[in-house]
C-alpha cells in the first residue's frame, strides 16, 4: 500500500516531534537501539544510520565504526548535529537531510545499514528497502528494528483502529511481517538472517537481512 503515508506529512510530524522526541521515545526504544548498534559494531567498517533522528544512537556505536546519518527531518537532524559537536563524535563522517528512498551514496558503499523505527514511517517501504540494499556491500547487513503488526487478535483490532491517527503522527502501527518477507523474496538478492523479539512487550522486532 504505497502512498498511504506521505513524505511531507511525515516530515511535518517529525518537525513537531523534534523538541520532545528524546523525552518521549528516548528510553522506551533504547533496547532496540542498543541491540541494532551491537549488530552493526560486530560488522564494523562504515555504517549508514537511516532515519537517525535526533542522533540518540550516535554516541553508542564504537568509535572505530565510521558513521553516516541521514534523515528527512531537518529539525530532528539539527539536534543530531548538536549532539555530535557536543560529544566530539569524530567517527561521524556525515549527517545529511536525505530521503531514505533516494540515498545519495554510491552502490556497495556501506558494510551495514541500520534503520531504527523507520521502515514503517516511509511512504514506499519496498522501494526504500531496495535502496538500502543497493548501498550495501555484498555480504553486508541491513539491520532493522521496528514495530511489527499483530497477525490476529485484540492487538490487531487495536492497531487497525489506531492506524488513521498513527499515520498523522508519522507511522503505520499495523505493518505486517509478510510485507518484509514478500519484499525479500521479490528482491532475490537478500536473505533473512534473524528476527528477534524486542521490547516493549515483544511487539517490536530486530530484523537482519544479509545481501548476497
Ligand atoms: C521514530 S523516529 C526514529 C529515530 C531514531 N532512529 C531513533 O531510534 O530514535 C523515525 C525517524 O525517521 C525519519 N524518517 C521518516 N521518513 C523518512 C524518510 N523518508 N527518509 C529519511 N528519514 C525518514 C523521521 O524524520 C524520524 O527522525
Amino acid at each position: 500500500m504505497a502512498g498511504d503515508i506521505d513524505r511531507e506529512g511525515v516530515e511535518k510530524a517529525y518537525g513537531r516531534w523534534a523538541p520532545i522526541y528524546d523525552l518521549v521515545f528516548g528510553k522506551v526504544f533504547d533496547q532496540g537501539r542498543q541491540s541494532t548498534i551491537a549488530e552493526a559494531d560486530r560488522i564494523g567498517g562504515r555504517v549508514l544510520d537511516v532515519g537517525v533522528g535526533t542522533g540518540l544512537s550516535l554516541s553508542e556505536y564504537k568509535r572505530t565504526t565510521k558513521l553516516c546519518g541521514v534523515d528527512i527531518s531537518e529539525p530532528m537532524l539539527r539536534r543530531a548535529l548538536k549532539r555530535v559537536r557536543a560529544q566530539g563524535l569524530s567517527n561521524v563522517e556525515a549527517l545529511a537531510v536525505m530521503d531514505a528512498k533516494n540515498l545519495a551514496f554510491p552502490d556497495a558503499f556501506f558494510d551495514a545499514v541500520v534503520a531504527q523505527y523507520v521502515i514503517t514511517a516511509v511512504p514506499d517501504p519496498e522501494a526504500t528497502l531496495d535502496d538500502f540494499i543497493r548501498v550495501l556491500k555484498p555480504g553486508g547487513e541491513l539491520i532493522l528494528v521496528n514495530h511489527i503488526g499483530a497477525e490476529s487478535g485484540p492487538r490487531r483490532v487495536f492497531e487497525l483502529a489506531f492506524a488513521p491517527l498513527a499515520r498523522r503522527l508519522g507511522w503505520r502501527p499495523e505493518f505486517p511481517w509478510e510485507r518484509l518477507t514478500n519484499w525479500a523474496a521479490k528482491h532475490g538478492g537478500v536473505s533473512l538472517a534473524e528476527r528477534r523479539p524486542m521490547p516493549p512487550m515483544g511487539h517490536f522486532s530486530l530484523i537482519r537481512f544479509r545481501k548476497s
Side-chain angles (χ1 to χ4, degrees), residues 10-33:
V10 171
E11 217 180 310
K12 271 197 195 129
Y14 280 99
R16 288 193 298 268
W17 277 121
I20 54 164
Y21 184 87
D22 293 359
L23 204 64
V24 179
F25 297 110
K27 274 234 158 53
V28 72
F29 285 168
D30 194 50
Q31 194 175 330
R33 240 179 248 119

Side-chain angles (χ1 to χ4, degrees), residues 146-169:
N146 237 105
H147 179 265
I148 299 294
E151 280 163 26
S152 58
R155 177 154 82 90
R156 170 89 181 144
V157 174
F158 171 76
E159 286 168 359
L160 288 172
F162 179 52
L165 172 64
R167 274 164 177 61
R168 288 207 295 279
L169 299 173

Side-chain angles (χ1 to χ4, degrees), residues 17-18 44 53 63 85 92 112 120 122 132 139 141 166 181 184 196 198:
W17 277 121
R63 294 294 191 273
R85 287 189 178 143
V92 178
T120 62
V122 299
F132 291 173
E141 286 192 15
T181 51
R196 193 190 309 168
M198 281 283 133

